[in-house]
mmCIF file with all atom_site columns, all heavy atoms in Angstrom:
data_model
loop_
_atom_site.group_PDB
_atom_site.id
_atom_site.type_symbol
_atom_site.label_atom_id
_atom_site.label_alt_id
_atom_site.label_comp_id
_atom_site.label_asym_id
_atom_site.label_entity_id
_atom_site.label_seq_id
_atom_site.pdbx_PDB_ins_code
_atom_site.Cartn_x
_atom_site.Cartn_y
_atom_site.Cartn_z
_atom_site.occupancy
_atom_site.B_iso_or_equiv
_atom_site.pdbx_formal_charge
_atom_site.auth_seq_id
_atom_site.auth_comp_id
_atom_site.auth_asym_id
_atom_site.auth_atom_id
_atom_site.pdbx_PDB_model_num
ATOM 1   N N   . TRP A 1 151 ? 81.435  121.400 116.984 1.00 98.00 ? 151 TRP A N   1
ATOM 2   C CA  . TRP A 1 151 ? 81.827  120.006 117.311 1.00 98.00 ? 151 TRP A CA  1
ATOM 3   C C   . TRP A 1 151 ? 82.821  119.314 116.341 1.00 98.00 ? 151 TRP A C   1
ATOM 4   O O   . TRP A 1 151 ? 83.333  118.143 116.554 1.00 98.00 ? 151 TRP A O   1
ATOM 5   C CB  . TRP A 1 151 ? 80.645  119.092 117.559 1.00 98.00 ? 151 TRP A CB  1
ATOM 6   C CG  . TRP A 1 151 ? 79.696  119.057 116.482 1.00 98.00 ? 151 TRP A CG  1
ATOM 7   C CD1 . TRP A 1 151 ? 78.621  119.912 116.219 1.00 98.00 ? 151 TRP A CD1 1
ATOM 8   C CD2 . TRP A 1 151 ? 79.679  118.075 115.444 1.00 98.00 ? 151 TRP A CD2 1
ATOM 9   N NE1 . TRP A 1 151 ? 77.963  119.598 115.125 1.00 98.00 ? 151 TRP A NE1 1
ATOM 10  C CE2 . TRP A 1 151 ? 78.484  118.448 114.591 1.00 98.00 ? 151 TRP A CE2 1
ATOM 11  C CE3 . TRP A 1 151 ? 80.369  116.981 115.202 1.00 98.00 ? 151 TRP A CE3 1
ATOM 12  C CZ2 . TRP A 1 151 ? 78.141  117.637 113.461 1.00 98.00 ? 151 TRP A CZ2 1
ATOM 13  C CZ3 . TRP A 1 151 ? 80.037  116.187 114.031 1.00 98.00 ? 151 TRP A CZ3 1
ATOM 14  C CH2 . TRP A 1 151 ? 78.997  116.561 113.285 1.00 98.00 ? 151 TRP A CH2 1
ATOM 15  N N   . VAL A 1 152 ? 83.077  120.029 115.272 1.00 98.00 ? 152 VAL A N   1
ATOM 16  C CA  . VAL A 1 152 ? 83.870  119.512 114.273 1.00 98.00 ? 152 VAL A CA  1
ATOM 17  C C   . VAL A 1 152 ? 85.171  120.390 114.018 1.00 98.00 ? 152 VAL A C   1
ATOM 18  O O   . VAL A 1 152 ? 85.191  121.664 114.113 1.00 98.00 ? 152 VAL A O   1
ATOM 19  C CB  . VAL A 1 152 ? 83.295  119.430 112.844 1.00 98.00 ? 152 VAL A CB  1
ATOM 20  C CG1 . VAL A 1 152 ? 84.186  118.805 111.772 1.00 98.00 ? 152 VAL A CG1 1
ATOM 21  C CG2 . VAL A 1 152 ? 81.931  118.775 112.868 1.00 98.00 ? 152 VAL A CG2 1
ATOM 22  N N   . THR A 1 153 ? 86.365  119.680 113.950 1.00 98.00 ? 153 THR A N   1
ATOM 23  C CA  . THR A 1 153 ? 87.579  120.430 113.689 1.00 98.00 ? 153 THR A CA  1
ATOM 24  C C   . THR A 1 153 ? 88.218  119.745 112.369 1.00 98.00 ? 153 THR A C   1
ATOM 25  O O   . THR A 1 153 ? 88.136  118.515 112.219 1.00 98.00 ? 153 THR A O   1
ATOM 26  C CB  . THR A 1 153 ? 88.580  120.202 114.873 1.00 98.00 ? 153 THR A CB  1
ATOM 27  O OG1 . THR A 1 153 ? 87.908  120.564 116.065 1.00 98.00 ? 153 THR A OG1 1
ATOM 28  C CG2 . THR A 1 153 ? 89.865  121.085 114.687 1.00 98.00 ? 153 THR A CG2 1
ATOM 29  N N   . ILE A 1 154 ? 88.694  120.577 111.508 1.00 98.00 ? 154 ILE A N   1
ATOM 30  C CA  . ILE A 1 154 ? 89.257  120.044 110.219 1.00 98.00 ? 154 ILE A CA  1
ATOM 31  C C   . ILE A 1 154 ? 90.660  120.529 109.951 1.00 98.00 ? 154 ILE A C   1
ATOM 32  O O   . ILE A 1 154 ? 91.042  121.688 110.220 1.00 98.00 ? 154 ILE A O   1
ATOM 33  C CB  . ILE A 1 154 ? 88.384  120.652 109.070 1.00 98.00 ? 154 ILE A CB  1
ATOM 34  C CG1 . ILE A 1 154 ? 86.753  120.370 109.266 1.00 98.00 ? 154 ILE A CG1 1
ATOM 35  C CG2 . ILE A 1 154 ? 88.818  120.203 107.764 1.00 98.00 ? 154 ILE A CG2 1
ATOM 36  C CD1 . ILE A 1 154 ? 85.981  120.970 108.355 1.00 98.00 ? 154 ILE A CD1 1
ATOM 37  N N   . CYS A 1 155 ? 91.343  119.556 109.470 1.00 98.00 ? 155 CYS A N   1
ATOM 38  C CA  . CYS A 1 155 ? 92.867  119.870 109.044 1.00 98.00 ? 155 CYS A CA  1
ATOM 39  C C   . CYS A 1 155 ? 93.038  119.563 107.638 1.00 98.00 ? 155 CYS A C   1
ATOM 40  O O   . CYS A 1 155 ? 92.810  118.447 107.184 1.00 98.00 ? 155 CYS A O   1
ATOM 41  C CB  . CYS A 1 155 ? 93.793  119.076 109.885 1.00 98.00 ? 155 CYS A CB  1
ATOM 42  S SG  . CYS A 1 155 ? 95.570  119.247 109.507 1.00 98.00 ? 155 CYS A SG  1
ATOM 43  N N   . ASN A 1 156 ? 93.456  120.624 106.823 1.00 98.00 ? 156 ASN A N   1
ATOM 44  C CA  . ASN A 1 156 ? 93.991  120.402 105.462 1.00 98.00 ? 156 ASN A CA  1
ATOM 45  C C   . ASN A 1 156 ? 95.392  120.785 105.540 1.00 98.00 ? 156 ASN A C   1
ATOM 46  O O   . ASN A 1 156 ? 95.677  121.963 105.350 1.00 98.00 ? 156 ASN A O   1
ATOM 47  C CB  . ASN A 1 156 ? 93.126  121.185 104.482 1.00 98.00 ? 156 ASN A CB  1
ATOM 48  C CG  . ASN A 1 156 ? 91.751  120.931 104.219 1.00 98.00 ? 156 ASN A CG  1
ATOM 49  O OD1 . ASN A 1 156 ? 91.427  120.034 103.334 1.00 98.00 ? 156 ASN A OD1 1
ATOM 50  N ND2 . ASN A 1 156 ? 90.768  121.374 105.067 1.00 98.00 ? 156 ASN A ND2 1
ATOM 51  N N   . PRO A 1 157 ? 96.307  119.913 105.631 1.00 98.00 ? 157 PRO A N   1
ATOM 52  C CA  . PRO A 1 157 ? 97.781  120.257 105.758 1.00 98.00 ? 157 PRO A CA  1
ATOM 53  C C   . PRO A 1 157 ? 98.239  121.080 104.554 1.00 98.00 ? 157 PRO A C   1
ATOM 54  O O   . PRO A 1 157 ? 97.859  120.873 103.511 1.00 98.00 ? 157 PRO A O   1
ATOM 55  C CB  . PRO A 1 157 ? 98.411  118.851 105.892 1.00 98.00 ? 157 PRO A CB  1
ATOM 56  C CG  . PRO A 1 157 ? 97.438  117.954 106.315 1.00 98.00 ? 157 PRO A CG  1
ATOM 57  C CD  . PRO A 1 157 ? 96.147  118.389 105.759 1.00 98.00 ? 157 PRO A CD  1
ATOM 58  N N   . THR A 1 158 ? 99.022  122.067 105.030 1.00 97.00 ? 158 THR A N   1
ATOM 59  C CA  . THR A 1 158 ? 99.542  123.004 103.964 1.00 97.00 ? 158 THR A CA  1
ATOM 60  C C   . THR A 1 158 ? 101.096 122.959 103.765 1.00 97.00 ? 158 THR A C   1
ATOM 61  O O   . THR A 1 158 ? 101.545 123.687 102.942 1.00 97.00 ? 158 THR A O   1
ATOM 62  C CB  . THR A 1 158 ? 99.103  124.395 104.303 1.00 97.00 ? 158 THR A CB  1
ATOM 63  O OG1 . THR A 1 158 ? 99.527  124.717 105.555 1.00 97.00 ? 158 THR A OG1 1
ATOM 64  C CG2 . THR A 1 158 ? 97.584  124.521 104.223 1.00 97.00 ? 158 THR A CG2 1
ATOM 65  N N   . SER A 1 159 ? 101.799 122.375 104.644 1.00 98.00 ? 159 SER A N   1
ATOM 66  C CA  . SER A 1 159 ? 103.186 122.263 104.520 1.00 98.00 ? 159 SER A CA  1
ATOM 67  C C   . SER A 1 159 ? 103.689 121.723 103.202 1.00 98.00 ? 159 SER A C   1
ATOM 68  O O   . SER A 1 159 ? 103.056 120.755 102.605 1.00 98.00 ? 159 SER A O   1
ATOM 69  C CB  . SER A 1 159 ? 103.759 121.418 105.739 1.00 98.00 ? 159 SER A CB  1
ATOM 70  O OG  . SER A 1 159 ? 103.493 121.929 106.987 1.00 98.00 ? 159 SER A OG  1
ATOM 71  N N   . ARG A 1 160 ? 104.819 122.421 102.818 1.00 96.00 ? 160 ARG A N   1
ATOM 72  C CA  . ARG A 1 160 ? 105.267 122.059 101.352 1.00 96.00 ? 160 ARG A CA  1
ATOM 73  C C   . ARG A 1 160 ? 106.590 121.132 101.444 1.00 96.00 ? 160 ARG A C   1
ATOM 74  O O   . ARG A 1 160 ? 107.187 120.893 100.362 1.00 96.00 ? 160 ARG A O   1
ATOM 75  C CB  . ARG A 1 160 ? 105.599 123.393 100.716 1.00 96.00 ? 160 ARG A CB  1
ATOM 76  C CG  . ARG A 1 160 ? 104.359 124.191 100.370 1.00 96.00 ? 160 ARG A CG  1
ATOM 77  C CD  . ARG A 1 160 ? 104.679 125.486 99.636  1.00 96.00 ? 160 ARG A CD  1
ATOM 78  N NE  . ARG A 1 160 ? 103.474 126.296 99.387  1.00 96.00 ? 160 ARG A NE  1
ATOM 79  C CZ  . ARG A 1 160 ? 102.727 126.128 98.404  1.00 96.00 ? 160 ARG A CZ  1
ATOM 80  N NH1 . ARG A 1 160 ? 102.881 125.186 97.449  1.00 96.00 ? 160 ARG A NH1 1
ATOM 81  N NH2 . ARG A 1 160 ? 101.621 126.879 98.214  1.00 96.00 ? 160 ARG A NH2 1
ATOM 82  N N   . THR A 1 161 ? 106.966 120.698 102.509 1.00 98.00 ? 161 THR A N   1
ATOM 83  C CA  . THR A 1 161 ? 108.081 119.729 102.648 1.00 98.00 ? 161 THR A CA  1
ATOM 84  C C   . THR A 1 161 ? 107.367 118.507 103.311 1.00 98.00 ? 161 THR A C   1
ATOM 85  O O   . THR A 1 161 ? 106.670 118.675 104.125 1.00 98.00 ? 161 THR A O   1
ATOM 86  C CB  . THR A 1 161 ? 109.302 120.187 103.348 1.00 98.00 ? 161 THR A CB  1
ATOM 87  O OG1 . THR A 1 161 ? 108.941 120.431 104.807 1.00 98.00 ? 161 THR A OG1 1
ATOM 88  C CG2 . THR A 1 161 ? 109.752 121.540 102.814 1.00 98.00 ? 161 THR A CG2 1
ATOM 89  N N   . ARG A 1 162 ? 108.066 117.290 102.937 1.00 98.00 ? 162 ARG A N   1
ATOM 90  C CA  . ARG A 1 162 ? 107.506 116.121 103.471 1.00 98.00 ? 162 ARG A CA  1
ATOM 91  C C   . ARG A 1 162 ? 107.553 116.075 104.984 1.00 98.00 ? 162 ARG A C   1
ATOM 92  O O   . ARG A 1 162 ? 106.586 115.773 105.700 1.00 98.00 ? 162 ARG A O   1
ATOM 93  C CB  . ARG A 1 162 ? 108.160 114.866 102.880 1.00 98.00 ? 162 ARG A CB  1
ATOM 94  C CG  . ARG A 1 162 ? 107.883 113.709 103.459 1.00 98.00 ? 162 ARG A CG  1
ATOM 95  C CD  . ARG A 1 162 ? 108.688 112.442 102.676 1.00 98.00 ? 162 ARG A CD  1
ATOM 96  N NE  . ARG A 1 162 ? 108.556 111.220 103.252 1.00 98.00 ? 162 ARG A NE  1
ATOM 97  C CZ  . ARG A 1 162 ? 109.230 110.339 103.740 1.00 98.00 ? 162 ARG A CZ  1
ATOM 98  N NH1 . ARG A 1 162 ? 110.527 110.703 103.758 1.00 98.00 ? 162 ARG A NH1 1
ATOM 99  N NH2 . ARG A 1 162 ? 109.036 109.160 104.256 1.00 98.00 ? 162 ARG A NH2 1
ATOM 100 N N   . ASP A 1 163 ? 108.668 116.355 105.561 1.00 98.00 ? 163 ASP A N   1
ATOM 101 C CA  . ASP A 1 163 ? 108.794 116.266 106.924 1.00 98.00 ? 163 ASP A CA  1
ATOM 102 C C   . ASP A 1 163 ? 107.964 117.261 107.823 1.00 98.00 ? 163 ASP A C   1
ATOM 103 O O   . ASP A 1 163 ? 107.279 116.806 108.703 1.00 98.00 ? 163 ASP A O   1
ATOM 104 C CB  . ASP A 1 163 ? 110.271 116.581 107.410 1.00 98.00 ? 163 ASP A CB  1
ATOM 105 C CG  . ASP A 1 163 ? 111.283 115.395 107.064 1.00 98.00 ? 163 ASP A CG  1
ATOM 106 O OD1 . ASP A 1 163 ? 110.838 114.396 106.799 1.00 98.00 ? 163 ASP A OD1 1
ATOM 107 O OD2 . ASP A 1 163 ? 112.432 115.691 107.015 1.00 98.00 ? 163 ASP A OD2 1
ATOM 108 N N   . ASN A 1 164 ? 107.734 118.402 107.241 1.00 98.00 ? 164 ASN A N   1
ATOM 109 C CA  . ASN A 1 164 ? 106.870 119.477 107.888 1.00 98.00 ? 164 ASN A CA  1
ATOM 110 C C   . ASN A 1 164 ? 105.432 118.981 107.686 1.00 98.00 ? 164 ASN A C   1
ATOM 111 O O   . ASN A 1 164 ? 104.621 119.259 108.700 1.00 98.00 ? 164 ASN A O   1
ATOM 112 C CB  . ASN A 1 164 ? 107.137 120.814 107.251 1.00 98.00 ? 164 ASN A CB  1
ATOM 113 C CG  . ASN A 1 164 ? 108.444 121.396 107.681 1.00 98.00 ? 164 ASN A CG  1
ATOM 114 O OD1 . ASN A 1 164 ? 109.128 120.965 108.714 1.00 98.00 ? 164 ASN A OD1 1
ATOM 115 N ND2 . ASN A 1 164 ? 108.925 122.426 107.050 1.00 98.00 ? 164 ASN A ND2 1
ATOM 116 N N   . TYR A 1 165 ? 105.117 118.450 106.639 1.00 98.00 ? 165 TYR A N   1
ATOM 117 C CA  . TYR A 1 165 ? 103.807 117.995 106.341 1.00 98.00 ? 165 TYR A CA  1
ATOM 118 C C   . TYR A 1 165 ? 103.408 116.937 107.359 1.00 98.00 ? 165 TYR A C   1
ATOM 119 O O   . TYR A 1 165 ? 102.250 117.030 108.067 1.00 98.00 ? 165 TYR A O   1
ATOM 120 C CB  . TYR A 1 165 ? 103.573 117.389 104.948 1.00 98.00 ? 165 TYR A CB  1
ATOM 121 C CG  . TYR A 1 165 ? 102.204 117.076 104.517 1.00 98.00 ? 165 TYR A CG  1
ATOM 122 C CD1 . TYR A 1 165 ? 101.531 117.985 103.704 1.00 98.00 ? 165 TYR A CD1 1
ATOM 123 C CD2 . TYR A 1 165 ? 101.561 115.881 104.905 1.00 98.00 ? 165 TYR A CD2 1
ATOM 124 C CE1 . TYR A 1 165 ? 100.332 117.715 103.249 1.00 98.00 ? 165 TYR A CE1 1
ATOM 125 C CE2 . TYR A 1 165 ? 100.294 115.673 104.449 1.00 98.00 ? 165 TYR A CE2 1
ATOM 126 C CZ  . TYR A 1 165 ? 99.560  116.519 103.571 1.00 98.00 ? 165 TYR A CZ  1
ATOM 127 O OH  . TYR A 1 165 ? 98.408  116.254 103.187 1.00 98.00 ? 165 TYR A OH  1
ATOM 128 N N   . LEU A 1 166 ? 104.169 115.877 107.707 1.00 98.00 ? 166 LEU A N   1
ATOM 129 C CA  . LEU A 1 166 ? 103.879 114.923 108.569 1.00 98.00 ? 166 LEU A CA  1
ATOM 130 C C   . LEU A 1 166 ? 103.908 115.438 110.040 1.00 98.00 ? 166 LEU A C   1
ATOM 131 O O   . LEU A 1 166 ? 103.030 115.052 110.900 1.00 98.00 ? 166 LEU A O   1
ATOM 132 C CB  . LEU A 1 166 ? 104.998 113.766 108.432 1.00 98.00 ? 166 LEU A CB  1
ATOM 133 C CG  . LEU A 1 166 ? 104.923 112.903 107.017 1.00 98.00 ? 166 LEU A CG  1
ATOM 134 C CD1 . LEU A 1 166 ? 106.023 111.905 106.947 1.00 98.00 ? 166 LEU A CD1 1
ATOM 135 C CD2 . LEU A 1 166 ? 103.503 112.280 106.946 1.00 98.00 ? 166 LEU A CD2 1
ATOM 136 N N   . GLU A 1 167 ? 104.828 116.337 110.277 1.00 98.00 ? 167 GLU A N   1
ATOM 137 C CA  . GLU A 1 167 ? 104.741 116.918 111.630 1.00 98.00 ? 167 GLU A CA  1
ATOM 138 C C   . GLU A 1 167 ? 103.507 117.700 111.774 1.00 98.00 ? 167 GLU A C   1
ATOM 139 O O   . GLU A 1 167 ? 102.824 117.778 113.012 1.00 98.00 ? 167 GLU A O   1
ATOM 140 C CB  . GLU A 1 167 ? 105.919 117.808 111.794 1.00 98.00 ? 167 GLU A CB  1
ATOM 141 C CG  . GLU A 1 167 ? 106.139 118.434 113.195 1.00 98.00 ? 167 GLU A CG  1
ATOM 142 C CD  . GLU A 1 167 ? 106.248 117.400 114.343 1.00 98.00 ? 167 GLU A CD  1
ATOM 143 O OE1 . GLU A 1 167 ? 106.789 116.264 114.009 1.00 98.00 ? 167 GLU A OE1 1
ATOM 144 O OE2 . GLU A 1 167 ? 105.801 117.633 115.354 1.00 98.00 ? 167 GLU A OE2 1
ATOM 145 N N   . GLU A 1 168 ? 102.991 118.429 110.766 1.00 98.00 ? 168 GLU A N   1
ATOM 146 C CA  . GLU A 1 168 ? 101.725 119.218 110.869 1.00 98.00 ? 168 GLU A CA  1
ATOM 147 C C   . GLU A 1 168 ? 100.653 118.378 111.203 1.00 98.00 ? 168 GLU A C   1
ATOM 148 O O   . GLU A 1 168 ? 99.768  118.583 112.019 1.00 98.00 ? 168 GLU A O   1
ATOM 149 C CB  . GLU A 1 168 ? 101.586 119.937 109.661 1.00 98.00 ? 168 GLU A CB  1
ATOM 150 C CG  . GLU A 1 168 ? 100.198 120.848 109.634 1.00 98.00 ? 168 GLU A CG  1
ATOM 151 C CD  . GLU A 1 168 ? 100.029 121.579 108.469 1.00 98.00 ? 168 GLU A CD  1
ATOM 152 O OE1 . GLU A 1 168 ? 100.937 121.611 107.427 1.00 98.00 ? 168 GLU A OE1 1
ATOM 153 O OE2 . GLU A 1 168 ? 98.921  122.123 108.197 1.00 98.00 ? 168 GLU A OE2 1
#
Side-chain angles (χ1 to χ4, degrees):
W151 55 275
V152 182
T153 307
I154 303 172
C155 177
N156 289 271
T158 58
S159 299
R160 296 182 178 274
T161 67
R162 178 182 174 231
D163 288 345
N164 288 344
Y165 190 99
L166 295 174
E167 185 60 31
E168 181 180 352

